[in-house]
Each structure stands twice: as C-alpha cells, then as structure tokens.
Amino acid sequence: MKSESNIPTVPLSRFFKHSLEILKNPLPFHHQNFEAQGDVFRLKIGFKNSVVFVRDAAFAEYVLQKNQKNYTKSKIQTEDLVKYVGTGLLTAEGDHWKKQRKLIQPAFHKKQLANLLGSIKNAILSEYSKITPNKVIDIFPILNDLAFQAVVKSLFSSAANQEDIKRLQYITEAAQKMLVKELRQPYLGWWFNVSGEIKKHVDLTGEARQILKRIVNERRTSGVTENDLLDMLLDARYDDGNPMEEEQLIDEILILFTAGHETTSNALTFITQLLALHPEWQEKILNERNIILAESDDLMGLVTQSKICQQVIEEGMRLYPPVYFIDRVNKEADTFNGLHIEAGCNLLFSVYEMHRHPKLWEQPDAFLPERFNEGGRKFSSHYFPFGAGPRKCIGNNFAMFEMIIAVSELVSSFKITPDFDAIDITPLITLKPKNAFLKFEKR
C-alpha cells in the first residue's frame, strides 16, 4: 500500500491560523481548501491527527454504498453521542445495527406511516396557532417545537403529558448542545470532566430514560392499542420471536427524538425562508394543494400527490442539507481513483459542497425547484439529504411526509414575507438556521 502523500495536505499552521473562524463557521474555510486543493484534501488538525475532506460524489457513493462494509461511523457517533442517547440505529454498528434495522424497518413503511399522518397534522396545526400575524418573528422556535411534537405524537399518541414532553425536549436539546461543545472545543475536554458538565448532562439523559420507561410501562399495562410508533416497536419481534429489551427500546426512542426533530426543524426553517424569498412558489404550492383537496381530503393522497411541494422541499435540502457532513473511518487500507487511504483514516464527506458542486449542478447556488420535476432519483449519485446506502436514514419517508404537510398547511394559511437580507447559517452537529425573521399575513 502506498503512502498517504498523494492526497493534497493543508498544513497544521493554516488550521491554527483560521481556528477562530473555523469555530464560528468552518464552511468558508473548507470551501477555500476545496477550491485550492481539489475535491479531496487532508487537513492536519494536530501533530498526529488529520481528517480527509471530500466533495467527490463518486468517492462518497463508493464509501457509502459500493464498499460500505469496509467503513464504519466515526468515534463522534459510536462513542461521543452514545453516552447521551445509547446504542440505537444511529449509533450502532455491525451485527447489532443489522439486527435493529431489520426489526424496526417495517414501522417506517409508507403503509404504516399512513396511520400517523393525522397525529402529525394535529401537531403541526397546534404549533401554527402560535404564529402572530403581521408581526416579524423568528420562525425557528415554532418549527423546532413543531418537529418535536410531531415525533412525540407519532410515538406516543396522547400518552405523554405536556410536562413530560417539555422536559424531554429540554433534555434532548441540552445534550446536543453539550456534545457540540465537546466536539468544537476538544482541548477543554479535561475541564468538562473536572467541572462536572458532562456528568450533569449524562444525568439529565438518565432522567429522560426514566420518563420514557414510565410512559412505556403505562402503555404495556393499559392494554390499549394506539397504532402509533410505540405500539409498532413494542410489537416488533426478532427472528427468534423475542421483543426488544427495555433498555434497547429506550435507546431507539432517544435516537428518534435526537435524529427526528432537529434535522426536520432545520430543513423546514430554511425551506420557509426560501419560500419567503420566492413567493411565486408559495402560490404554486397553494394551487396544487387546492386541486388535490378538491378531489379528496385524504392525507396520504396529499403527501403523495404534492409534487410541486416536494420539489421545493428537495431543493431546500439541496441548498441547506441539515446533515451537511457524513463521517466514516475505513477498517482496512483502501484505494479510490488513485487515492490511497490508510487504515483508520477519518473521512468527512461534505454534503453541503457536493450539493453545490458546479460540475454536478446547473446554477448550483440558485433556488430552482423545477430541477427536481422528475424526482430526486435522477440525482441519486450526488444528492444525499438523507445519506446513502444501507445506513440511509430510516425515517426519510416520515420526514418527507411531515414536511409536505407542514409546508402545505403553512402556505394555505399565510403569505410569507422575509425580514432578512440573506439566509444565514450556524453549522453545528447539523446545519442550523440563524435569524430566520419572517412576517406572516393571514390569507
């Protein structure tokens, strides 16, 4: 196996020189390096440590699909995140992941999701009632609550009270903020331990687990069937006929909270901002909605026939993918297109850069939903809003259905106008919106 030297390297001195701006927003720094070094470069982040950044979509497809067995998720997910959410679908690896994926997959089939659409819509309308018309507001907190409530209602129907829901949301978001601190400021790891910051948040997660165990046990003893996600998870059986053990069930529920609400709320916020900047697409979505509902008020019909709405959502996630990096580590040394990847190499695939690569997209920085008029599969080799390969997000259909209902209901109730000059971002674990100030006029 040849040495690693054939990958262009950005020196440690450049990393240190730009460390403050990287802490605030690393994307411009990475973009400069891609432009200077090409679609693959190595960034030294310590005297021994380095990360290989990639915006080569073919390389991503190779790692995530064609040779995925040689690649595992990084320590960030398999260790750092585990202490807050346990070992569920997002953080598990190997045979444990395969076993869990096979067990849980049926709960997210489209036919099963049809049972949840009414609960999702009710959660959405409840949050939209908090919008104050004709007043400039930051829409992100409302959409963040909306996405969390949609997950809660889909999981628990009416089993969880508002006090529990608020506490679960607080703990979930507090743990995510703590993990961001650990990742962005690794040099303070000793302080986070000594000061008790990490222990405080691990204890909070323990409190969340106790709340969830109580809700699960109340459902088990009630004998009531709600046909929600909790019932599906409780009824699921492994090949040997056994159900999930309680601790594993709680791990999976915590993963659904963590992965299922923040990414969706981020995407919905960016999409709402884009609609504010392009009001003609609000009218197109509204006209399409009226035509669909004139024939039937069936929610599954709405989510499957709202093609224009889906195009807008897909274009929004192209420009602002909530999961803007995908990380992998190779088990054995590998070669791709003449590049030699030593075993144990940290790879970061920039979804943000691939989604805006001028060689892959016409007018890559322009908002053009019509590019998706034939569906997202046309771009499957370089469009990864939900990842790719076997580890593709299990909840992608759930998220799309939820976003279609949310966008459709919003434009049917309000005309949206911007109160910002440009869409601003905060890249944390996910790509988060910033200063999403909008005005909503009742239709």
Side-chain angles (χ1 to χ4, degrees):
M1 178 58 64
K2 295 182 182 179
S3 73
E4 63 186 67
S5 60
N6 67 330
I7 297 176
T9 300
V10 177
L12 181 60
S13 59
R14 180 168 164 79
F15 175 69
F16 281 142
K17 181 181 177 182
H18 295 273
S19 59
L20 285 178
E21 63 189 75
I22 291 170
L23 191 61
K24 292 179 182 177
N25 180 359
L27 294 183
F29 175 74
H30 298 325
H31 181 72
Q32 291 164 14
N33 290 323
F34 279 124
E35 291 295 292
Q37 306 294 339
D39 290 347
V40 182
F41 68 87
R42 184 184 300 273
L43 176 65
K44 290 282 188 180
I45 58 171
F47 295 109
K48 293 184 179 179
N49 297 328
S50 66
V51 177
V52 173
F53 285 80
V54 182
R55 69 170 183 182
D56 182 333
F59 193 179
E61 193 175 31
Y62 171 77
V63 167
L64 299 175
Q65 291 181 269
K66 296 177 181 177
N67 196 29
Q68 54 85 20
K69 289 183 179 179
N70 187 41
Y71 291 83
T72 182
K73 290 191 172 187
S74 75
K75 173 180 172 290
I76 293 171
Q77 293 191 57
T78 59
E79 293 182 27
D80 297 333
L81 184 57
V82 163
K83 66 178 178 283
Y84 297 122
V85 298
T87 309
L89 271 182
L90 183 66
T91 56
E93 282 292 340
D95 290 339
H96 180 55
W97 170 79
K98 288 179 185 176
K99 184 180 178 182
Q100 289 305 111
R101 180 86 182 202
K102 184 178 180 181
L103 179 75
I104 296 171
Q105 184 77 56
F108 288 91
H109 286 165
K110 289 183 178 180
K111 287 183 180 178
Q112 295 288 359
L113 294 179
N115 297 324
L116 307 176
L117 296 183
S119 296
I120 292 172
K121 180 180 176 181
N122 290 337
I124 289 168
L125 294 179
S126 176
E127 295 306 317
Y128 284 168
S129 68
K130 299 174 185 176
I131 293 175
T132 305
N134 304 315
K135 180 183 176 183
V136 174
I137 61 169
D138 182 354
I139 193 59
F140 176 72
I142 289 175
L143 295 178
N144 190 49
D145 289 349
L146 176 157
F148 196 85
Q149 291 285 346
V151 173
V152 168
K153 296 300 183 188
S154 299
L155 261 168
F156 301 139
S157 300
S158 58
N161 61 55
Q162 282 303 309
E163 186 179 333
D164 285 343
I165 292 170
K166 285 181 180 178
R167 192 62 183 161
L168 288 169
Q169 184 170 356
Y170 169 78
I171 293 171
T172 301
E173 292 173 357
Q176 288 174 326
K177 288 174 183 175
M178 187 62 224
L179 183 58
V180 169
K181 278 188 184 180
E182 292 178 67
L183 298 178
R184 286 291 175 90
Q185 298 172 296
Y187 45 85
L188 292 179
W190 66 274
W191 170 249
F192 295 143
N193 275 306
V194 170
S195 67
E197 275 287 289
I198 289 178
K199 183 180 184 303
K200 182 178 82 172
H201 287 84
V202 170
D203 288 347
L204 277 175
T205 301
E207 181 189 340
R209 297 182 77 88
Q210 291 305 313
I211 294 172
L212 293 173
K213 285 179 182 179
R214 175 168 49 77
I215 293 170
V216 168
N217 287 329
E218 286 173 358
R219 173 66 61 83
R220 278 192 173 121
T221 57
S222 72
V224 176
T225 300
E226 298 281 1
N227 291 319
D228 52 18
L229 283 176
L230 179 57
D231 276 346
M232 295 179 207
L233 294 174
L234 288 171
D235 291 342
R237 294 292 183 271
Y238 295 111
D239 291 342
D240 61 8
N242 289 320
M244 261 190 283
E245 293 184 0
E246 185 178 60
E247 293 299 329
Q248 185 64 54
L249 176 62
I250 300 303
D251 285 355
E252 298 298 353
I253 292 173
L254 282 172
I255 292 290
L256 289 173
F257 282 150
T258 302
H261 101 273
E262 182 171 342
T263 50
T264 303
S265 62
N266 293 354
L268 279 174
T269 303
F270 288 126
I271 290 160
T272 305
Q273 288 182 277
L274 288 164
L275 285 170
L277 293 172
H278 303 275
E280 70 277 14
W281 286 95
Q282 296 181 45
E283 302 310 313
K284 290 178 182 180
I285 292 171
L286 181 60
N287 291 337
E288 176 185 61
R289 172 189 166 90
N290 291 338
I291 291 169
I292 294 169
L293 294 182
E295 296 183 6
S296 171
D297 62 355
D298 175 55
L299 277 173
M300 184 53 91
L302 180 68
V303 298
T304 55
Q305 296 175 48
S306 296
K307 301 304 181 186
I308 293 173
C309 188
Q310 183 169 327
Q311 290 168 34
V312 167
I313 292 168
E314 288 176 329
E315 178 72 341
M317 288 194 294
R318 182 188 71 82
L319 286 168
Y320 300 100
V323 180
Y324 66 108
F325 273 108
I326 298 174
D327 61 352
R328 289 294 186 269
V329 177
N330 53 316
K331 301 172 188 175
E332 297 178 4
D334 205 353
T335 302
F336 176 80
N337 199 22
L339 297 174
H340 306 287
I341 317 299
E342 71 277 13
C345 183
N346 290 300
L347 297 165
L348 270 183
F349 295 90
S350 177
V351 178
Y352 186 88
E353 286 282 339
M354 286 186 281
H355 281 189
R356 293 171 178 255
H357 201 306
K359 291 181 181 177
L360 300 174
W361 306 90
E362 293 182 20
Q363 301 182 60
D365 295 323
F367 178 67
L368 300 171
E370 62 268 26
R371 75 172 88 234
F372 286 98
N373 60 8
E374 297 176 26
R377 289 185 180 180
K378 177 182 176 182
F379 307 109
S380 60
S381 63
H382 51 273
Y383 180 61
F384 308 120
F386 296 106
R391 299 299 299 248
K392 185 176 181 179
C393 174
I394 196 172
N396 63 316
N397 285 326
F398 179 96
M400 281 301 300
F401 289 175
E402 178 187 345
M403 287 191 284
I404 288 171
I405 295 172
V407 172
S408 178
E409 293 293 341
L410 190 63
V411 300
S412 73
S413 300
F414 301 100
K415 289 184 179 180
I416 313 162
T417 53
D419 196 72
F420 56 86
D421 296 324
I423 293 177
D424 205 357
I425 59 175
T426 303
L428 297 174
I429 294 176
T430 58
L431 191 67
K432 294 183 74 71
K434 183 180 178 183
N435 302 325
F437 292 109
L438 300 162
K439 185 182 285 187
F440 296 84
E441 177 189 342
K442 283 289 267 184
R443 287 191 183 272

